[in-house]
Amino acid sequence: MNNSKLKLATTSLAGCFGCHMSFLDMDERLEALLEHASFDRSPLTDIKTIGNCDIGLIEGGVCNAENAEVLRQFRANCRILVAVGACAINGGVPAMRNQYSLQECLEEVYLHGTGIVNPRIPDDIELPLLLDKVYPVGEIVKIDYYLPGCPPSADTFLHFFEALLQGKTPELPRETLHYD
Amino acid sequence: MPTDQQSFTLDNCKIPFSPGQTIMDAALAAKTYIPHLCHFPGISPQGNCKLCTVKIGTRQVAACTTLAEPDIVVESEIQELTDARRALTQMLFIEGNHICPSCEKTGNCSLQAMAYHLGMEDNHFPQFFPQREVDASHPQIWLDRDRCILCSLCVRASQEADGKHVFAIAGRGLDAQLIVNSSSGKLAESDLAPEDLAARICPVGAILIKEVGYQTPIGQRIFDQHKIDEIGLEQVILAHNTTATRDE
């Protein structure tokens, strides 16, 4: 790669942070990666708004209005946008709530669940509204690459970045391909 | 090769066959892999999944329902068909709720292994997120219709292996789904038993034996150790049943 570092942004939408943990599972190999890349907005930095980036990694599906807004900001600012993990790719385990109506889910948790004091569905304007369903990120914005897995392994991230840094099209070796 | 036997060409290999044999059966007998999800040796073919689509000249045909003929030239492992098979597999994924991280068939699932085989990295199409009924009425078997790929192997196995006729596919188009032949439509009132081929033959996580999930460590599951082109569905079912009954 040339002398300027790749700008990298990451975010977790309706994710569990497991994909970020798997990213960190690159262990000491992260050091080598950081010689070629620096972080912009990410849960690992303090940067609040995303700037112009080369790569955006999206973990998690889209379950609420804020997720959709953040995802669109990432798309607008990232040259390459990557859906990371099962949730971003097809909604993942959180999409199992699509079996029920949103109202049913909210009532079960905030009104009818056990041990609830002052049952009330939270309605403060600060809170992002949930969407009717959990959506894969590819149904909201265009995605350039997909890293499957729940989560993808550290090796998957490594293969991906190695290819990008060498200016090749990332292709996952079969042995790193898994959805679970 | 006996002198009276005829042959055809599959991807530059000579495949011997007996008259009346399909391209798929001849290829399997010659240990040559053609991708498939709804074919099972000994069960009559139905051509549902279309994964076994091959090319004869400019025609695309299902290898499982097309009879082998002398000296035909059949193409299977070509980019055009790999792309088509990947698209078909993606369509199967988005029509159902194939959330592998929460499915006990993961690692032992032929649909998943097929997607790995075809290098499927995403689902490409918008998800349908269907809401079909789970039937957990039977004490030993349960049915998750959102994972059913309508291969109809259970339907055919139940007709042909033991004559119980437990399953059928009902409804048209996208409404097609697996139904159970009992007065209430529930598995509990059917004749299905866990040892029936129909209860074991499901290539995905739709028909499952209860209380045997997650017994095989990651790394030792069928498709952790084999690729789908190395192991036929028959062996998958045998291997899975051995795993599933190990601790009983």
Side-chain angles (χ1 to χ4, degrees):
Chain A
M1 205 63 200
N2 52 32
N3 42 20
S4 64
K5 284 186 175 185
L6 283 182
K7 268 261 191 255
L8 178 62
T10 78
T11 189
S12 179
L13 306 176
C16 71
F17 278 93
C19 292
H20 276 82
M21 297 309 291
S22 203
F23 178 89
L24 297 180
D25 276 343
M26 280 192 277
D27 297 333
E28 71 279 6
R29 295 171 296 184
L30 271 171
E31 220 175 314
L33 176 67
L34 289 175
E35 286 172 18
H36 303 286
S38 65
F39 281 104
D40 193 85
R41 177 185 163 162
S42 165
L44 310 170
T45 69
D46 235 355
I47 301 169
K48 309 294 184 209
T49 48
I50 184 170
N52 264 332
C53 286
D54 296 293
I55 305 169
L57 300 185
I58 309 284
E59 164 196 323
V62 178
C63 78
N64 65 31
E66 191 212 8
N67 291 162
E69 189 188 328
V70 171
L71 179 59
R72 289 193 174 116
Q73 285 169 0
F74 265 67
R75 178 68 276 182
N77 285 283
C78 298
R79 196 162 54 83
I80 297 169
L81 201 60
V82 190
V84 179
C87 297
I89 291 173
N90 67 11
V93 172
M96 290 172 81
R97 84 138 147 108
N98 297 352
Q99 292 296 301
Y100 307 94
S101 75
L102 178 58
Q103 195 62 28
E104 277 177 288
C105 293
L106 289 169
E107 287 180 4
E108 178 63 27
V109 173
Y110 292 109
L111 301 184
H112 309 312
T114 49
I116 289 172
V117 181
N118 300 330
R120 182 182 169 190
I121 294 174
D123 59 358
D124 194 290
I125 197 163
E126 288 273 322
L127 299 172
L129 288 172
L130 292 172
L131 305 182
D132 62 333
K133 281 181 182 169
V134 177
Y135 292 91
V137 294
E139 294 190 25
I140 315 287
V141 297
K142 182 188 183 297
I143 296 296
D144 300 297
Y145 294 105
Y146 297 83
L147 301 183
C150 185
S153 66
D155 281 346
T156 305
F157 284 104
L158 206 66
H159 280 296
F160 177 76
F161 284 112
E162 271 177 1
L164 271 193
L165 288 167
Q166 291 166 8
K168 294 183 194 155
T169 304
E171 265 180 61
L172 297 181
R174 285 299 149 80
E175 59 274 16
T176 68
L177 187 58
H178 67 101
Y179 309 144
D180 57 358
Chain B
M1 197 195 302
T3 47
D4 62 327
Q5 213 157 26
Q6 299 168 313
S7 71
F8 64 92
T9 306
L10 174 62
D11 291 333
N12 301 320
C13 290
K14 280 264 182 271
I15 307 286
F17 72 96
S18 330
Q21 212 172 14
T22 60
I23 292 172
M24 174 65 80
D25 282 328
L28 287 178
K31 302 209 181 308
T32 305
Y33 182 72
I34 298 174
H36 58 279
L37 288 172
C38 75
H39 180 77
F40 192 85
I43 300 279
S44 52
Q46 214 161 55
N48 293 327
C49 75
K50 293 287 176 279
L51 265 291
C52 73
T53 299
V54 292
K55 265 187 111 175
I56 303 173
T58 56
R59 283 178 61 221
Q60 293 192 357
V61 298
C64 71
T65 54
T66 306
L67 292 183
E69 285 177 58
D71 306 321
I72 50 172
V73 176
V74 183
E75 292 176 296
S76 175
E77 292 302 317
I78 53 176
Q79 192 61 44
E80 173 190 344
L81 290 179
T82 302
D83 292 345
R85 287 170 182 150
R86 192 186 305 110
L88 285 168
T89 307
Q90 287 168 325
M91 287 156 82
L92 290 173
F93 267 82
I94 59 104
E95 278 185 24
N97 294 326
H98 295 284
I99 301 172
C100 301
S102 69
C103 178
E104 65 191 69
K105 199 68 180 275
T106 186
N108 294 319
C109 170
S110 297
L111 177 67
Q112 187 191 57
M114 181 65 71
Y116 294 162
H117 174 72
L118 298 166
M120 185 183 114
E121 291 177 1
D122 73 301
N123 292 356
H124 185 78
F125 305 104
Q127 293 286 144
F128 280 22
F129 293 125
Q131 299 180 10
R132 305 187 194 110
E133 193 191 12
V134 170
D135 183 345
S137 63
H138 194 287
Q140 292 152 299
I141 306 162
W142 68 288
L143 174 59
D144 184 342
R145 290 182 171 91
D146 288 335
R147 298 176 186 154
C148 175
I149 57 169
L150 301 176
C151 70
S152 86
L153 276 172
C154 59
V155 178
R156 288 174 278 153
S158 196
Q159 285 168 3
E160 297 171 20
D162 50 38
K164 287 186 179 177
H165 297 268
V166 171
F167 295 108
I169 310 285
R172 286 174 187 274
L174 282 174
D175 294 328
Q177 62 168 333
L178 188 61
I179 58 161
V180 175
N181 179 22
S182 67
S183 52
S184 59
K186 298 284 189 192
L187 268 182
E189 281 85 42
S190 76
D191 296 331
L192 191 66
E195 55 275 9
D196 292 352
L197 182 60
R200 303 268 183 181
I201 201 169
C202 181
V204 296
I207 303 174
L208 292 161
I209 308 297
K210 286 185 177 177
E211 297 178 21
V212 295
Y214 302 113
Q215 287 188 350
T216 313
I218 289 172
Q220 293 174 30
R221 301 167 304 180
I222 296 162
F223 294 112
D224 293 335
Q225 300 183 318
H226 303 276
K227 292 186 170 136
I228 197 167
D229 52 338
E230 299 165 356
I231 179 166
L233 187 52
E234 199 169 28
Q235 291 161 282
V236 171
I237 284 158
L238 288 173
H240 189 56
N241 289 347
T242 319
T243 332
T245 50
R246 191 184 291 153
D247 296 333
E248 279 174 11

